[in-house]
């Protein structure tokens, strides 16, 4: 059966029942139909949150075959609830770009899903639309100020870094010219569109602690420079209040349910190769307020999502994870070991063992943060006993816990062993989380620390453009921000072709973007796509809706 067919078999509980199960008075939630709701921020209790056990689900370097972090996250939460541990899974919202493009939805799979999957994967509660509107309002205000003769800040159009956003993959919008049509239609300039998940507004929403913090961060967005070389921020355009007003509902986390009727909170969706790649601080704290265990995930591999989760989100929100589940698949290890995509379903212990160094490096990375990992083997029907035993032997030699998780086929039942390992780590381990660097270190040392300790690079090189930007950043007094490296997710290096555990390489920073509202700097390495294109046959070709309103082809 497909994910959608499995989901259709489930009788969803009213969201009021899910709220009660979580410990929230149903009268306090804001209903969006019968099966989803917004949770007011006033319910967050930081003292209670401190007592919750936060568990991060990450993965080895991703492959085209997919590793299934979301599915593992959901299955683990189901298993912990089966073991009488009050648990909430907290996830990111899907972007329409992948839904209509090549990846499909992002609500888990099989018997480890969050529901209602059609709503979550399409417009959900309108958060992405609100972010898009707030982003594009700022764009409109910028161009209006350039056009104005009486209210101009003297912005140099050549220095504007802010782009418009749109939540559909559309390569034709990457680089455009606006303002054509004469003197009444604006000042012509080059710009472009990013996908909505890549907007700094998304990153801000997911790092803000409350509405006041959101508004302050929106005002701190860096726009560009004036003709007199003075920096311009969104607050100079007096637009932060209007932007925050558009986000007044989007800032509230969304409550839905798992396939087994347990609470799930879904909120925000920044990409992990250009932003922090994890759900909102607010959603995480909400889950921690009402749960003994809070399961969350971070995008792509540990070198991106987990590192940013630790060094950006945890430092900003003052939260500490108690354990990390390191998702891996046998087919991914074989891919990192040199097997081609067509042969991943064929037993190949040699290729698997050649790929184990990638897993080894991610284990080392987690341990650097003082947190204990457990390997979750996301099981597929083509996996052989010999291949599974090879990973277990590797884990035993490294003194690392490991469990086979068959959550797609069995839901929470398939993650009981994994859940037991997590409980033992949390309740008996002496793990003590520590970030990799301090924000007040100088920019170059922060970048070098990440490159050398997490990626395994020998050295960091800077283009002449990046060196100029470093000087500007220091002059602006923004060198005490966190570092959010934009890098390919396909490799530990900045070269997507270097699989496994590459060695003897350098990281090249070609430019450094300022995301002062979000609170980090973005060193750009390699070619990072912020507006994806559609494949020759996009997933949208198979999506349809019947006369009765039944959606098909979403998965």
């Amino acid at each position: 059966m497909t994910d959608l067919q499995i989901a259709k078999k489930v009788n969803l509980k009213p969201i009021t029942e899910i709220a009660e199960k979580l410990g929230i008075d149903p009268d306090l939630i804001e209903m969006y139909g019968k099966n989803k709701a917004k949770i007011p921020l006033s319910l967050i209790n930081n003292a209670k949150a401190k007592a919750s056990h936060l568990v991060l689900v990450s993965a080895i370097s991703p492959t085209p075959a997919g590793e299934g972090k979301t599915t593992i996250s959901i299955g683990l939460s189901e298993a912990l609830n089966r073991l009488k541990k009050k648990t909430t899974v907290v996830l990111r919202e899907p972007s329409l770009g992948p839904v209509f493009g090549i990846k499909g939805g992002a609500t888990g799979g099989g018997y480890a899903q969050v529901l209602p999957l059609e709503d979550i994967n399409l417009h959900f509660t309108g958060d992405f639309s609100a972010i898009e509107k707030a982003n594009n309002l700022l764009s409109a205000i910028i161009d209006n100020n350039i056009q104005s003769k009486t209210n101009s800040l003297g912005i140099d159009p050549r220095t504007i870094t802010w782009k418009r956003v749109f939540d559909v993959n559309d390569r034709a919008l990457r680089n455009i010219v606006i303002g054509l049509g004469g003197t009444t239609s604006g000042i012509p300039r080059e710009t472009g569109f990013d996908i909505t998940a890549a907007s700094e507004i998304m990153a801000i929403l997911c790092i803000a602690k409350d509405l006041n913090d959101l508004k302050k961060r929106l005002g701190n967005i860096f726009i560009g420079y004036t003709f007199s070389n003075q920096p311009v921020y969104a607050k100079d355009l007096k637009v932060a209040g209007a932007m925050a007003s558009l986000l007044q509902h989007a800032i509230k986390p969304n409550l839905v349910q798992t396939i087994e009727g347990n609470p799930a909170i879904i909120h925000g969706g920044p990409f992990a190769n250009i932003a922090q790649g994890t759900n909102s601080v607010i959603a995480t704290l909400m889950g921690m307020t009402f749960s003994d265990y809070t399961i969350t995930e971070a995008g792509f591999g540990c070198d991106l999502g987990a590192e940013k989760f630790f060094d950006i989100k945890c430092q900003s929100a003052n939260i500490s994870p108690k354990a990390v589940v390191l998702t891996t698949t046998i087919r991914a290890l074989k891919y990192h070991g040199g097997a081609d995509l067509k042969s991943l379903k064929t037993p190949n212990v040699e290729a698997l063992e050649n790929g184990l160094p990638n897993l080894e490096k991610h284990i080392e990375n987690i341990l650097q943060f003082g947190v204990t990992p457990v390997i979750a083997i996301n099981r597929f029907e083509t996996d052989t006993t010999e291949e599974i035993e090879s990973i277990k032997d590797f884990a035993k030699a490294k003194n690392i816990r490991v469990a086979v998780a068959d959550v797609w086929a069995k839901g929470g039942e398939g993650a009981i062993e994994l859940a037991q390992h997590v409980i033992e780590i949390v309740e008996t381990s002496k793990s003590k989380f520590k970030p990799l660097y301090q924000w007040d270190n100088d920019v170059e040392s922060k970048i070098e620390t990440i490159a050398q300790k997490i990626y395994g690079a020998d050295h960091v090189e800077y283009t002449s453009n990046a060196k100029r930007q470093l000087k500007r950043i220091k002059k602006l007094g923004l060198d005490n921000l966190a570092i959010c490296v934009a890098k390919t997710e396909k490799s530990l290096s900045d070269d997507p072709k270097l699989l496994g555990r590459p060695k003897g390489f350098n990281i090249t920073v070609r430019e450094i973007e300022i995301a002062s509202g979000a609170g980090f700097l973005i060193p750009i390495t390699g070619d990072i796509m912020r507006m994806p294109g559609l494949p020759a046959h996009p997933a949208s070709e198979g999506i349809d809706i019947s006369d009765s309103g039944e959606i098909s082809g979403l998965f």
Side-chain angles (χ1 to χ4, degrees):
M1 285 192 293
T2 66
D3 293 343
L4 188 58
Q5 289 171 330
I6 292 171
K8 291 293 186 184
K9 293 169 55 181
V10 178
N11 292 319
L12 290 175
K13 297 179 180 179
I15 200 64
T16 50
E17 287 187 22
I18 303 300
E20 286 184 312
K21 189 170 186 177
L22 188 58
I24 297 175
D25 184 341
D27 291 335
L28 296 178
I29 62 174
E30 300 173 14
M31 303 283 289
Y32 279 68
K34 295 180 180 180
N35 305 125
K36 51 189 184 294
K38 288 280 186 182
I39 310 173
L41 305 190
S42 59
L43 296 182
I44 292 175
N45 184 311
N46 287 310
K48 289 183 178 179
K50 287 287 185 184
S52 180
H53 301 306
L54 179 62
V55 178
L56 174 67
V57 177
S58 188
I60 64 172
S61 298
T63 68
E67 283 58 63
K69 290 189 304 296
T70 303
T71 305
I72 290 292
S73 298
I74 298 165
L76 174 59
S77 72
E78 306 281 45
L80 286 165
N81 277 300
R82 285 174 177 239
L83 295 174
K84 307 304 179 185
K85 302 294 184 181
K86 187 179 179 183
T87 304
T88 302
V89 63
V90 187
L91 304 170
R92 291 175 292 168
E93 299 179 46
S95 164
L96 288 179
V99 169
F100 291 138
I102 191 170
K103 181 181 177 183
T107 48
Y111 287 90
Q113 297 186 52
V114 284
L115 305 173
L117 84 168
E118 302 105 310
D119 290 359
I120 296 169
N121 280 297
L122 296 179
H123 291 294
F124 201 19
T125 57
D127 294 347
F128 271 58
S129 294
I131 290 166
E132 188 174 294
K133 298 297 187 296
N135 184 105
N136 294 342
L137 171 63
L138 177 55
S139 295
I141 294 295
I142 291 169
D143 284 300
N144 185 63
N145 191 272
I146 294 171
Q147 172 79 0
S148 176
K149 294 180 180 179
T150 59
N151 190 35
S152 176
L153 293 174
I155 301 172
D156 184 347
R158 299 167 299 180
T159 68
I160 295 171
T161 58
W162 193 254
K163 292 185 176 182
R164 288 165 170 82
V165 297
F166 181 50
D167 196 33
V168 172
N169 292 359
D170 192 346
R171 60 172 55 85
L173 295 177
R174 290 173 187 164
N175 299 287
I176 62 174
V177 176
I178 61 172
L180 301 179
T183 58
T184 61
S185 298
I187 305 296
R189 66 181 182 90
E190 290 186 44
T191 183
F193 276 75
D194 292 334
I195 197 163
T196 302
S199 170
E200 188 182 348
I201 305 293
M202 176 67 81
I204 288 172
L205 184 84
C206 289
I207 207 72
K209 299 179 181 66
D210 51 39
L211 192 57
N212 182 60
D213 187 32
L214 175 75
K215 186 161 62 174
K216 181 180 178 181
R217 288 176 178 275
L218 292 172
N220 287 337
I221 292 172
F222 176 75
I223 302 301
Y225 290 92
T226 65
F227 282 107
S228 57
N229 205 33
Q230 295 301 306
V232 181
Y233 298 91
K235 58 189 172 188
D236 299 321
L237 294 162
K238 301 177 182 177
V239 68
M243 293 165 69
S245 299
L246 286 170
L247 299 169
Q248 62 173 316
H249 297 297
I251 194 175
K252 301 170 186 175
N254 307 291
L255 178 65
V256 288
Q257 62 191 283
T258 66
I259 206 166
E260 296 182 19
N262 291 309
I265 296 176
I266 301 182
H267 195 218
F271 287 163
N273 55 349
I274 54 165
Q276 67 267 46
T278 181
N279 61 79
S280 72
V281 166
I282 286 170
T284 301
L285 289 174
M286 190 70 75
M288 294 174 73
T289 295
F290 292 98
S291 309
D292 299 326
Y293 282 74
T294 304
I295 310 301
T296 191
E297 66 165 332
F300 295 135
C302 285
D303 55 317
L304 287 171
E307 185 275 317
K308 294 172 182 181
F309 179 89
F310 292 141
D311 285 324
I312 298 175
K313 182 173 181 174
C314 288
Q315 285 207 70
S316 178
N318 193 26
I319 55 178
S320 300
K322 302 291 181 63
V324 175
V325 174
L326 183 54
T327 307
T328 189
T329 63
I330 284 170
R331 59 187 189 178
L333 288 173
K334 288 190 284 191
Y335 183 79
H336 279 290
D340 60 45
L341 281 173
K342 295 180 180 179
S343 67
L344 295 184
K345 295 181 180 180
T346 303
N348 190 338
V349 174
E350 181 181 1
L352 183 150
E353 291 180 346
N354 288 339
L356 286 173
N358 185 273
L359 174 61
E360 178 184 46
K361 177 55 178 166
H362 289 298
I363 290 170
E364 292 173 8
N365 287 347
I366 294 167
L367 292 172
Q368 288 187 79
F369 291 96
V371 186
T372 303
V374 53
I375 300 169
I377 304 172
N378 187 14
R379 186 168 199 164
F380 288 79
E381 61 182 1
T382 55
D383 299 345
T384 67
T385 300
E386 187 180 6
E387 289 170 329
I388 291 172
E389 289 303 316
S390 180
I391 299 176
K392 287 184 176 181
D393 290 343
F394 165 83
K396 184 177 180 180
K398 296 290 181 181
N399 196 28
I400 298 295
R401 294 172 181 266
V402 61
V404 175
D406 196 2
V407 294
W408 193 97
K410 298 179 180 179
E413 180 188 348
I416 294 296
E417 182 187 3
L418 176 63
Q420 289 170 333
H421 280 305
V422 168
I423 292 170
E424 290 173 8
I425 289 171
V426 165
E427 297 184 355
T428 65
S429 173
K430 296 181 180 179
S431 295
K432 190 172 183 181
F433 167 72
K434 59 182 185 298
L436 197 65
Y437 62 84
Q438 298 301 314
W439 287 4
D440 56 5
N441 294 350
D442 66 87
V443 177
E444 294 97 320
S445 71
K446 287 183 285 193
I447 296 173
E448 190 161 309
T449 296
I450 296 170
Q452 292 182 341
K453 291 189 175 183
I454 301 299
Y455 309 153
D458 291 339
H459 182 62
V460 179
E461 299 175 345
Y462 297 87
T463 65
S464 56
N465 184 39
K467 290 177 180 178
R468 285 193 300 270
Q469 290 168 332
L470 275 172
K471 292 179 181 179
R472 287 182 177 180
I473 287 166
K474 292 175 182 178
K475 187 176 181 180
L476 291 171
L478 298 176
D479 49 342
N480 62 343
L481 298 180
I483 298 299
C484 187
V485 179
K487 182 183 74 70
T488 178
E489 72 279 8
K490 298 176 182 179
S491 171
L492 285 161
S493 73
D494 56 2
D495 180 352
K497 296 179 181 179
L498 296 180
L499 302 180
R501 183 177 183 170
K503 295 183 179 181
F505 65 92
N506 294 332
I507 292 287
T508 300
V509 176
R510 58 181 177 84
E511 60 180 308
I512 304 176
E513 294 185 4
I514 297 171
S516 47
F520 48 72
L521 302 172
I522 308 175
I524 308 291
T525 70
D527 295 322
I528 303 299
M529 187 61 64
R530 304 184 89 151
M531 171 52 85
L534 293 169
H537 295 284
S540 57
E541 290 183 358
I543 299 174
D544 201 359
I545 186 168
S546 68
D547 293 342
S548 61
E550 288 286 318
I551 293 175
S552 60
L554 195 56
F555 289 85

